[in-house]
C-alpha cells in the first residue's frame, strides 16, 4: 500500500480562508466516498435562553438548502444513492455526505450547498421544533437518556458548554425565531475554524480543487472560540431519579475528564478500555455480566474533546439488582485509579486495540470517522499509522497515573434512574 | 461467472455431505475476514413454555464448547482486535466474527466447535437468566416495544409469530437448561446452517480448511418447518395500552404475504412509498441515518401537517405470512383517533389512485443506487450473503432486485387493495400516563 492509498495516512491540503482541507485515501475497492464539514457550531455555543439552537440549526441544514426545498433535497439524495447526516457535539457541528465514489465531486458540491446556504424554511423550523419538544420529553422520561442528562447537570454548572445534551428546553426551543437561526448559522458555520475532510480515491489536488470550487469566499467571519471554565472544587454526588412504570434501572457513574491533547491521553484511553471500553474483555463486562449475571449491558466511556472530556461507567439492570451493581462500578473505578493494571491484562487489551485497526478500514464510512476525529484535533497526518506504536509505549504505571487524572472522582456523580425507590 | 445486476464479489459455493451450505466470498483487498453462521432456526420454532429459547441459545453459544471454556470465545476473537456478535429473529439466528484476515482460523475453529457441541451447562443457564431478563427489561422501557409485542400477540392466535423473539417473561423465569439443550440438539446443526466466509483469503485453501473442520460434524438439525397455519382473520382486533411515555403512539398491522409469495415485490414497493425506506436495497445500510423520509406519503400526510412527530411503515418479508405495519407518534395535543383517520386517508388514496409515475421512478432509482453500494466491507458482505442464502437463496437477491424494478402502478394499487382490508386489521394504541416533567 503506497502512502497515497493508505487510509491511515491523511493528507493535509491548502486551507481556504482558514478552512482546513484534508484528504483520506478511500479503502481499496470501496464503492463509496464520504465528506464531512466540521464547524465551530456545537451546543456549547448555545447562548443563555437559546439552548438547543446549535442542534436545531445543524439538523435544519440537512433538511433543505440552496435550490432544494425539503422534498427536492430528499429526492436528489435518493436518486444519487447518497445520504446526508448531521451531528452536534458540545464543541462542533458536523454535516456528512456519503454516496457513490464516482459521484464524489458533485456530492461535495451538494455538501457545500448544504453548509453554505441552508434554507431555514418556516415549515421546516416548525416541524423540527415539534420533534425537539417530543425528544425533550423522551429525554426526561426514558431512564437511559434521563440518567445521561442528570449526570451532565450534576457535573457541570449552568452555563458550562459541556452541560447540555443540545436539545434545549420547551421555552428555549419555541422562542427561537428564524432570524436567530440564520444568524447562528452565519456566525458558526465559517471557513475560519472549519474543517473539510474527504475520503476518496481521488488525489489531494483534486480534493483541493473541489474544495476551492465549493468553499472559496464562503465566509469572512472569524470562527468563534469556545470558553470552557474551570470547575470549582466539589465532592462526589449521588442522584436518584424515580421513573415509575419502567422496567430497567439505568446507572451512570461519571465525571469530567482530560482533553484529547493531554499528555496522558493514550494511557487514559487504555485505562478506559481496561475498565469497560473494550467489548467483552473489560472488567465491568466481566464482573457485572459474565461473573454475576446482573445486567445485560455494563461498560465505560471516555469522551475526550479539545478543551476537556467526560468519563462514565454505566450499566442497565433490574429494580431488584441495581443496589448490587452500583458498588461494583464504584469499586472498579477506584481499583483502576489505585492499583497498577497487571501487565498481562494490559497486554491483552493493548493487543486487541492494535488488532482492531484493520476493522475500521472495512468501509469508507468507518475509515472516514477516524479521519474526521484525527483532523478535528489537528493531529499529525501519520497519527493513525503511529497509533499502534503509541499504544505499545504505555506502561502499567502510565495507565494508573492516567486513570487518576482522567477518571476524576472529586467532581463525579452517581445517577440511578428508573423504577427505583427514592429512599 | 455470471454477471449479476447486484455487484457482489465472485463466489465459491458448495454443500458438505452432512448438509452444511458453504459460501466463500474472497475479497483480496479486504483488511479483514468475516465469518458468519446462519441457522434457519428462530422464535418460529418455539412453543408456549419455551418462548425465547432461540434467543437464549444464542447467548449460550458464547458460554462454552469443548475447545472453548466460558469467556474464551469472546477472548479469542476480541484479543486479536476482532469483533463478534449474534442476533435472533423470528426465522433465523446469525452469529458472526470479523477479524484481521490473518486470524481467519479463529472464527472457523469456534464455529465448527459450537455448531453441534455447545455445552449449555445448568450453572451458566441460571447465570444467564438475569442477563436475559435485563435485556428484556431494557426493551420494555420503550413503549414501541410493548406496542409491537401486543400487536403480534393480537394478530396471531395459532402461529408462533405471536410472541416476541426475547420470549415471554414467565418463560424466561421457568425455562430449564435441559429444555434449552433439547431445543439446541433438535434444531441446530449442519442441515439448518449456512456458513459464509467473506474477506481476504485464498479460496482453495479455505475451502479445504472448511471441509476438514466441518465435514466431521454429524448430519444434524431437525425439520424447522412450522406446521401451524394461522387461520384467516375475520375481523378487526384492537387493544389499548398505557404507561410512561411522551405523546400517544399507535401501530396498525395487516396480514401480509410470506416471502415466497408472488406479492412480495409489490408489498415492498408499498412499504417504500408509504414509509420511504428501501430496506434490503437501501443505500448505506449499516450507516447511521435519521430514518426520516420526507418524500414518503406517511411523512407528508402526518408529519408535515403537524399531526405526528414521526410516521412510517414497515414490512419485513418473513418465511410465513406476517404483518405489514404502520406506526405514528402523535404531535402534542393530537388524538389517536385523528391520527388513525389520517392514516386511513393515506391508504385509501393509494388504493384509489395507486402510486404516481414519479414515485415509481424515484423508487427504481433508489433501489438501483442502493444495490450498487450494497456490497462494501467484509462484515456487510457476509451479512448479505448469509441473509439471502438463509431466507431463500442467493439467486433470490437478484430475482427480487429485478422484480422490484418491474413492479408497475396497477400491481401496486391492486396489492394495496388486497393488503389493507379491515378484517385483518390490528390496532394497538398507547397512551402515556401521568405528565412528563418537562413543563
Amino acid at each position: 500500500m503506497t502512502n497515497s492509498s493508505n487510509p491511515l495516512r491523511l493528507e493535509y491540503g491548502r486551507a481556504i480562508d482558514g478552512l482546513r482541507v484534508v484528504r483520506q485515501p478511500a479503502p481499496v475497492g470501496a464503492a463509496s466516498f464520504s465528506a464531512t464539514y466540521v464547524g465551530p457550531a456545537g451546543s456549547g455555543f448555545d447562548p443563555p435562553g437559546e439552548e438547543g439552537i446549535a442542534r436545531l440549526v445543524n439538523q435544519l441544514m440537512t433538511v433543505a438548502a440552496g435550490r432544494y426545498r425539503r422534498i427536492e433535497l430528499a429526492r436528489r439524495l435518493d436518486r444519487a444513492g447518497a445520504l446526508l447526516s448531521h451531528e452536534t457535539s458540545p464543541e462542533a457541528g458536523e454535516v456528512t455526505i456519503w454516496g457513490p465514489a464516482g459521484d464524489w465531486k458533485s456530492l461535495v458540491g451538494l455538501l457545500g450547498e448544504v453548509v453554505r446556504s441552508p434554507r431555514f424554511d418556516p415549515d421546516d423550523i416548525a416541524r423540527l421544533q415539534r420533534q425537539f419538544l417530543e425528544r425533550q420529553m423522551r429525554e426526561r422520561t426514558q431512564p437511559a437518556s434521563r440518567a445521561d442528562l442528570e449526570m451532565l447537570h450534576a457535573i457541570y454548572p449552568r452555563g458550562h458548554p459541556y452541560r447540555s445534551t443540545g436539545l434545549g428546553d420547551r421555552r428555549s426551543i419555541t422562542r427561537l425565531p428564524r432570524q436567530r437561526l440564520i444568524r447562528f448559522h452565519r456566525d458558526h458555520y465559517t471557513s475560519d475554524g472549519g474543517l473539510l475532510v474527504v475520503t476518496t480515491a481521488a488525489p489531494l489536488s483534486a480534493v483541493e480543487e473541489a474544495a476551492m470550487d465549493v468553499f472559496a469566499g464562503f465566509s469572512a467571519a472569524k470562527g468563534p472560540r469556545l470558553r470552557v471554565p474551570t470547575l470549582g472544587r466539589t465532592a462526589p454526588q449521588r442522584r436518584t431519579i424515580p421513573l415509575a412504570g419502567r422496567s430497567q434501572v439505568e446507572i451512570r457513574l461519571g465525571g469530567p475528564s482530560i482533553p484529547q491533547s493531554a499528555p496522558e491521553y493514550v494511557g487514559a484511553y487504555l485505562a478506559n478500555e481496561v475498565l469497560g471500553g473494550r467489548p467483552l474483555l473489560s472488567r465491568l463486562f466481566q464482573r457485572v455480566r459474565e461473573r454475576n449475571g446482573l445486567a445485560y449491558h455494563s461498560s465505560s466511556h471516555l469522551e475526550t474533546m479539545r478543551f476537556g472530556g467526560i468519563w462514565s461507567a454505566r450499566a442497565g439492570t433490574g429494580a431488584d439488582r441495581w443496589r448490587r451493581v452500583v458498588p461494583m462500578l464504584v469499586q472498579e473505578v477506584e481499583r483502576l485509579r489505585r492499583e497498577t493494571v497487571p501487565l498481562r491484562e494490559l497486554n491483552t487489551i493493548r493487543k486487541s486495540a492494535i488488532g482492531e485497526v484493520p476493522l475500521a478500514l472495512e468501509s469508507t464510512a468507518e475509515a472516514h470517522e477516524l479521519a474526521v476525529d484525527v483532523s478535528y484535533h489537528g493531529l499529525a497526518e501519520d497519527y493513525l499509522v503511529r497509533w499502534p506504536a503509541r499504544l505499545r509505549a504505555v506502561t502499567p504505571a502510565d495507565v494508573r497515573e492516567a486513570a487518576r487524572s482522567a477518571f476524576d472522582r472529586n467532581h463525579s456523580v452517581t445517577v440511578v434512574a428508573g423504577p427505583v425507590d427514592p429512599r | 461467472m455470471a454477471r449479476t445486476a447486484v455487484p457482489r464479489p465472485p463466489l465459491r459455493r458448495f454443500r458438505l455431505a452432512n448438509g452444511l451450505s458453504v459460501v466463500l466470498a474472497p475479497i483480496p483487498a479486504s483488511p479483514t475476514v468475516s465469518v458468519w453462521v446462519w441457522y434457519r432456526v428462530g422464535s418460529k420454532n418455539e412453543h408456549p413454555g419455551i418462548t425465547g429459547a432461540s434467543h437464549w441459545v444464542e447467548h449460550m453459544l458464547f458460554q462454552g464448547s469443548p475447545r472453548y471454556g466460558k469467556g474464551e470465545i469472546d477472548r479469542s476473537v476480541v484479543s486479536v482486535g476482532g469483533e463478534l456478535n449474534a442476533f435472533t429473529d423470528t426465522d433465523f439466528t446469525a452469529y458472526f466474527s470479523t477479524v484481521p484476515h490473518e486470524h481467519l482460523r479463529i472464527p472457523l475453529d469456534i464455529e465448527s466447535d459450537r455448531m453441534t457441541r455447545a455445552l449449555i451447562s445448568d450453572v451458566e443457564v441460571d447465570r444467564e437468566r438475569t442477563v436475559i431478563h435485563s435485556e428484556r427489561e431494557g426493551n420494555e422501557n420503550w413503549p414501541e416495544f410493548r406496542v409491537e409485542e401486543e400487536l403480534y400477540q393480537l394478530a396471531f392466535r395459532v402461529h408462533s409469530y405471536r410472541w416476541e423473539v426475547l420470549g415471554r417473561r414467565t418463560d424466561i423465569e421457568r425455562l430449564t437448561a435441559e429444555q434449552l439443550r433439547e431445543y439446541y440438539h433438535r434444531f441446530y446443526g449442519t442441515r439448518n446452517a449456512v456458513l459464509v466466509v467473506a474477506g481476504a483469503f485464498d479460496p482453495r485453501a479455505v475451502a479445504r480448511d472448511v471441509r476438514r473442520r466441518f465435514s466431521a460434524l454429524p448430519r444434524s438439525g431437525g425439520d424447522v418447518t412450522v406446521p401451524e397455519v394461522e387461520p384467516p382473520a375475520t375481523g378487526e382486533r384492537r387493544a389499548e395500552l398505557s404507561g410512561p411515555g411522551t405523546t400517544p403512539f399507535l401501530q396498525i398491522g395487516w396480514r401480509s404475504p410470506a416471502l415466497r409469495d408472488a406479492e412480495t415485490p409489490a408489498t415492498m414497493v408499498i412499504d417504500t412509498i408509504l414509509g420511504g425506506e428501501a430496506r434490503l436495497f437501501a443505500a448505506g445500510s449499516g450507516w447511521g441515518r435519521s430514518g426520516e423520509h420526507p418524500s414518503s406519503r406517511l411523512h407528508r400526510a402526518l408529519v408535515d401537517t403537524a399531526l405526528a412527530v414521526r410516521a412510517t411503515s414497515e414490512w419485513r418479508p418473513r418465511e410465513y405470512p406476517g404483518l405489514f405495519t404502520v406506526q405514528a407518534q402523535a404531535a402534542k395535543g393530537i388524538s389517536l383517533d385523528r391520527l388513525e383517520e389520517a392514516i386511513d386517508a393515506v391508504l385509501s388514496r393509494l388504493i384509489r389512485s395507486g402510486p404516481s409515475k414519479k414515485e415509481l421512478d424515484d423508487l427504481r432509482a433508489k433501489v438501483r443506487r442502493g444495490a450498487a453500494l450494497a456490497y462494501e466491507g467484509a462484515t456487510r458482505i457476509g451479512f448479505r450473503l448469509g441473509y439471502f442464502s438463509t431466507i431463500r437463496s442467493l439467486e433470490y437477491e437478484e430475482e427480487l432486485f429485478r422484480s422490484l424494478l418491474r413492479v408497475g402502478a396497477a400491481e401496486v394499487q391492486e396489492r394495496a387493495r388486497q393488503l389493507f382490508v379491515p378484517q385483518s386489521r390490528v390496532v394497538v394504541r398507547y397512551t402515556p400516563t401521568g405528565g412528563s416533567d418537562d413543563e
Side-chain angles (χ1 to χ4, degrees):
Chain A
M1 199 180 282
T2 64
N3 282 350
S4 64
S5 65
N6 180 0
L8 295 177
R9 190 178 292 275
L10 310 185
E11 295 177 311
Y12 288 181
R14 287 191 311 273
I16 305 166
D17 303 328
L19 176 76
R20 292 187 293 131
V21 177
V22 180
R23 180 232 173 199
Q24 178 189 39
V28 178
S32 62
F33 96 103
S34 263
T36 296
Y37 166 88
V38 187
S43 56
F45 290 100
D46 285 352
E50 295 187 336
E51 289 83 3
I53 189 171
R55 197 158 157 183
L56 188 63
V57 165
N58 187 217
Q59 190 167 343
L60 278 164
M61 290 167 69
T62 61
V63 169
R67 66 203 129 135
Y68 300 108
R69 289 183 179 278
R70 187 167 47 89
I71 291 178
E72 282 119 40
L73 181 58
R75 291 188 68 220
R76 165 82 174 88
L77 291 163
D78 279 349
R79 296 186 77 94
L83 298 172
L84 259 183
S85 60
H86 54 87
E87 190 172 336
T88 318
S89 70
E91 295 180 349
E94 284 181 27
V95 182
T96 296
I97 196 160
W98 173 94
D103 298 340
W104 76 272
K105 213 166 175 178
S106 71
L107 290 173
V108 166
L110 182 58
L111 173 70
E113 200 161 345
V114 165
V115 171
R116 296 182 64 147
S117 320
R119 294 180 61 90
F120 298 115
D121 288 334
D123 284 353
D124 294 335
I125 296 171
R127 198 187 64 258
L128 251 66
Q129 282 173 326
R130 287 193 295 275
Q131 292 179 334
F132 266 56
L133 296 181
E134 196 273 335
R135 281 154 72 184
Q136 288 167 5
M137 282 194 269
R138 197 171 278 253
E139 184 174 63
R140 286 173 165 77
T141 55
Q142 267 294 331
S145 49
R146 181 63 182 270
D148 288 334
L149 185 72
E150 292 293 335
M151 181 179 80
L152 295 176
H153 283 189
I155 297 170
Y156 300 109
R158 276 186 195 285
H160 193 286
Y162 296 162
R163 176 182 165 90
S164 161
T165 59
L167 282 175
D169 55 42
R170 171 169 289 276
R171 282 164 65 100
S172 66
I173 284 295
T174 48
R175 280 180 177 183
L176 288 170
R178 180 169 183 267
Q179 278 312 314
R180 263 308 288 142
L181 304 179
I182 292 170
R183 210 159 64 233
F184 186 92
H185 171 263
R186 187 199 61 201
D187 295 343
H188 291 268
Y189 287 86
T190 51
S191 296
D192 180 52
L195 169 70
L196 175 71
V197 183
V198 185
T199 301
T200 173
L204 176 64
S205 56
V207 171
E208 287 176 324
E209 194 182 312
M212 185 60 90
D213 287 348
V214 174
F215 285 101
F218 162 34
S219 160
K222 184 106 181 116
R225 300 287 182 265
L226 200 62
R227 288 196 190 87
V228 182
T230 310
L231 295 174
R233 289 214 69 77
T234 178
Q237 306 173 57
R238 180 159 185 155
R239 289 191 179 190
T240 303
I241 313 294
L243 296 169
R246 301 293 187 184
S247 291
Q248 186 160 75
V249 177
E250 290 286 342
I251 304 164
R252 302 286 181 274
L253 165 63
S257 192
I258 57 171
Q260 212 280 343
S261 55
E264 68 271 35
Y265 168 73
V266 183
Y269 170 85
L270 282 171
N272 178 57
E273 297 294 292
V274 168
L275 177 64
R278 183 86 351 203
L280 310 172
L281 294 184
S282 74
R283 290 177 174 183
L284 287 176
F285 183 86
Q286 287 297 323
R287 181 165 177 195
V288 177
R289 174 165 164 167
E290 289 299 277
R291 287 209 296 279
N292 291 286
L294 288 170
Y296 178 63
H297 78 86
S298 182
S299 59
S300 69
H301 301 264
L302 177 65
E303 191 184 352
T304 51
M305 295 174 274
R306 268 191 193 155
F307 307 104
I310 301 167
W311 68 271
S312 63
R314 48 186 63 201
T317 186
D320 55 338
R321 299 185 292 275
W322 68 269
R323 286 181 197 282
R324 288 179 62 198
V325 176
V326 169
M328 290 182 182
L329 301 192
V330 174
Q331 286 159 14
E332 290 302 337
V333 172
E334 283 302 325
R335 180 156 77 103
L336 191 71
R337 288 167 48 85
R338 202 177 52 241
E339 296 173 17
T340 305
V341 177
L343 185 59
R344 191 171 164 195
E345 183 182 6
L346 178 61
N347 281 340
T348 303
I349 296 287
R350 188 185 349 240
K351 187 176 159 203
S352 174
I354 292 170
E356 80 175 354
V357 172
L359 270 69
L361 306 182
E362 268 208 339
S363 68
T364 301
E366 288 160 290
H368 183 70
E369 275 184 38
L370 285 180
V372 171
D373 196 40
V374 166
S375 329
Y376 174 73
H377 289 292
L379 302 169
E381 290 172 309
D382 64 350
Y383 183 85
L384 293 170
V385 176
R386 290 190 293 114
W387 176 241
R390 284 170 181 271
L391 291 173
R392 282 189 202 101
V394 173
T395 67
D398 294 338
V399 172
R400 190 192 57 217
E401 291 310 309
R404 283 179 185 164
S405 150
F407 293 80
D408 177 349
R409 285 277 286 138
N410 288 331
H411 297 88
S412 72
V413 60
T414 305
V415 180
V416 178
V420 294
D421 180 343
R423 288 166 298 173
Chain B
M1 210 201 66
R3 203 175 142 73
T4 57
V6 181
R8 61 185 182 214
L11 304 178
R12 180 165 180 165
R13 298 152 67 181
F14 53 93
R15 187 184 291 273
L16 302 182
N18 58 18
L20 177 70
S21 294
V22 181
V23 181
L24 304 182
I27 312 156
S30 173
T32 60
V33 62
S34 190
V35 174
W36 289 73
V37 175
W38 291 69
Y39 295 96
R40 294 185 186 89
V41 186
S43 59
K44 65 174 183 177
N45 299 110
E46 300 159 0
H47 55 77
I50 65 159
T51 66
S54 315
H55 173 250
W56 203 324
V57 166
E58 177 214 306
H59 279 232
M60 297 317 296
L61 259 61
F62 290 86
Q63 301 294 339
S65 54
R67 288 198 292 276
Y68 294 86
K70 180 179 166 59
E72 286 180 11
I73 288 178
D74 297 347
R75 245 192 319 278
S76 307
V77 173
V78 179
S79 66
V80 297
E83 61 171 343
L84 73 168
N85 213 331
F87 49 87
T88 307
D89 183 75
T90 51
D91 297 345
F92 55 77
T93 315
Y95 299 77
F96 80 93
S97 307
T98 300
V99 291
H101 62 78
E102 63 272 25
H103 296 293
L104 170 59
R105 185 198 60 78
I106 297 170
L108 285 178
D109 195 52
I110 290 168
E111 298 304 349
S112 64
D113 201 37
R114 69 181 176 181
M115 184 169 280
T116 58
R117 296 181 295 173
L119 297 179
I120 313 188
S121 74
D122 293 10
V123 172
E124 293 305 333
V125 166
D126 266 345
R127 207 191 319 259
E128 205 63 16
R129 195 181 306 276
T130 42
V131 172
I132 288 169
H133 262 307
S134 182
E135 187 176 356
R136 199 189 143 89
E137 286 161 356
N139 280 281
E140 285 172 358
N141 272 357
W142 296 91
E144 292 85 347
F145 172 86
R146 295 181 53 197
V147 167
E148 186 158 291
E149 182 170 44
E150 183 69 23
L151 190 82
Y152 277 83
Q153 200 159 278
L154 209 56
F156 295 95
R157 290 182 176 164
V158 174
H159 197 272
S160 42
Y161 285 167
R162 69 186 184 278
W163 52 82
E164 221 284 327
V165 166
L166 290 173
R168 293 174 175 153
R169 259 176 178 267
T170 45
D171 290 342
I172 296 173
E173 275 154 28
R174 291 178 202 150
L175 247 167
T176 65
E178 187 50 43
Q179 285 173 306
L180 285 179
R181 284 191 291 266
E182 196 275 326
Y183 185 80
Y184 168 71
H185 289 302
R186 180 172 171 199
F187 292 119
Y188 291 72
T190 53
R191 289 199 306 178
N192 291 330
V194 179
L195 169 71
V196 181
V197 186
F201 57 84
D202 171 357
R204 279 207 298 196
V206 170
R208 262 198 315 275
D209 195 22
V210 165
R211 285 181 199 281
R212 183 178 62 79
R213 291 175 190 278
F214 290 88
S215 290
L217 300 180
R219 188 175 170 81
S220 53
D223 185 3
V224 286
T225 311
V226 178
E228 290 83 8
V229 178
E230 187 70 26
T234 52
E236 185 181 276
R237 299 171 190 171
R238 301 180 79 88
E240 300 274 347
L241 300 181
S242 61
T246 57
T247 56
F249 173 78
L250 70 79
Q251 191 167 19
I252 309 176
W254 292 265
R255 293 280 186 86
S256 64
L259 175 81
R260 285 169 188 274
D261 295 341
E263 296 91 343
T264 285
T267 311
M268 290 179 86
V269 169
I270 291 175
D271 181 26
T272 309
I273 287 170
L274 290 178
E277 188 63 61
R279 309 230 176 263
L280 295 173
F281 297 98
S285 297
W287 171 266
R289 57 183 309 172
S290 70
E292 284 234 315
H293 294 279
S295 57
S296 72
R297 287 197 179 194
L298 285 167
H299 194 279
R300 282 190 287 173
L302 276 78
V303 181
D304 286 359
T305 54
L307 295 175
V309 289
R310 266 184 297 282
T312 190
S313 63
E314 183 175 6
W315 187 61
R316 271 192 309 132
R318 293 175 198 262
E319 191 175 345
Y320 300 96
L323 286 185
F324 184 105
T325 64
V326 167
Q327 46 272 333
Q329 176 112 37
K332 191 148 185 159
I334 300 296
S335 73
L336 289 174
D337 288 343
R338 180 76 192 85
L339 224 48
E340 268 197 72
E341 277 170 28
I343 291 169
D344 285 344
V346 171
L347 304 182
S348 298
R349 204 183 124 225
L350 185 64
I351 292 168
R352 208 172 47 243
S353 316
S356 67
K357 180 176 180 308
K358 192 166 146 191
E359 278 176 317
L360 286 179
D361 285 349
D362 281 356
L363 180 138
R364 288 175 191 134
K366 200 170 178 171
V367 166
R368 275 199 195 94
R369 286 299 202 162
L373 296 176
Y375 282 94
E376 186 173 296
T379 307
R380 203 162 140 203
I381 291 171
F383 167 85
R384 214 169 161 86
L385 296 173
Y387 175 78
F388 281 104
S389 302
T390 306
I391 61 161
R392 194 161 168 188
S393 68
L394 275 174
E395 289 70 25
Y396 183 62
E397 181 187 30
E398 184 83 8
E399 188 187 321
L400 187 58
F401 174 72
R402 291 182 192 282
S403 305
L404 281 171
L405 299 181
R406 274 198 308 265
V407 172
E411 196 182 340
V412 173
Q413 190 178 357
E414 176 58 17
R415 183 80 276 276
R417 197 182 59 72
Q418 293 167 2
L419 182 66
F420 301 118
V421 289
Q423 62 266 32
S424 88
R425 184 177 150 111
V426 188
V427 184
V428 178
R429 296 161 43 127
Y430 188 93
T431 309
T433 49
S436 64
D437 58 353
D438 68 319
E439 295 179 272

